[in-house]
Amino acid sequence: DRVPAISVRRKVLDIRRTKGMVLDIDDHDTWSVGSFFTNPIVSDEQASGLPTDAPRWPVADSRVKVSAAWLIDNSGFGRGWPNDPEATASLSTKHTLAVTNRGQAETSDILDVARSVRDGVQRAMGITLEPEPNLINCAL
């Protein structure tokens, strides 16, 4: 069946809005660069070491794409982490892939959250997450 493009657009925006991925000046969960980490592509061997419920998609050359959000969620970093009302930066309360500015965050605050998540996933799952945004004059 065909659906008018405007209907598809509205539905996509509605879905993205529930995940905090549509800018809303009153919603700090939308104060982000979007998904901060890419879905890693790992060897088949690395993927087979993950729990069986870990989402995975085969790609070329015996490699597997795994879900960065799943890795984050299952490494002890839930939505809103660090769940501190005083935190200037945190994971979104709607989606663990977004590192958000809670109002007064500086670059270092955002990077501290991202580093903690990256390092925690590495310790828990043996997979290093890579940032999706281009980091200019700063690094994880």
Side-chain angles (χ1 to χ4, degrees), residues 25 44 80 96:
I25 196 69
D44 192 39
T96 56

Side-chain angles (χ1 to χ4, degrees), residues 51-117:
T52 56
D53 64 332
R56 62 193 83 207
W57 305 272
V59 295
D61 303 327
S62 297
R63 296 183 309 151
V64 179
K65 182 185 286 191
V66 294
S67 167
W70 187 93
L71 293 169
I72 293 166
D73 286 334
N74 288 274
S75 295
F77 300 95
R79 295 176 183 175
W81 185 89
N83 302 315
D84 175 358
E86 301 298 315
T88 57
S90 73
L91 294 180
S92 168
T93 64
K94 296 180 177 102
H95 197 289
T96 56
L97 273 179
V99 179
T100 62
N101 181 337
R102 305 318 290 175
Q104 300 298 316
E106 296 183 3
T107 302
S108 61
D109 301 316
I110 300 292
L111 293 176
D112 285 347
V113 169
R115 275 187 205 101
S116 293
V117 170

Side-chain angles (χ1 to χ4, degrees), residues 37-38 40 42 46 71 118-119 121-122 125-130:
F37 296 105
T38 61
V42 300
Q46 275 185 295
L71 293 169
R118 180 203 59 198
D119 295 348
V121 168
Q122 174 61 43
M125 302 289 177
I127 296 173
T128 301
L129 297 177
E130 297 292 336

Side-chain angles (χ1 to χ4, degrees), residues 22-31 94 101-102:
V22 176
L23 185 60
D24 176 347
I25 196 69
D26 296 321
D27 182 359
H28 288 193
D29 277 327
T30 70
W31 295 15
K94 296 180 177 102
N101 181 337
R102 305 318 290 175

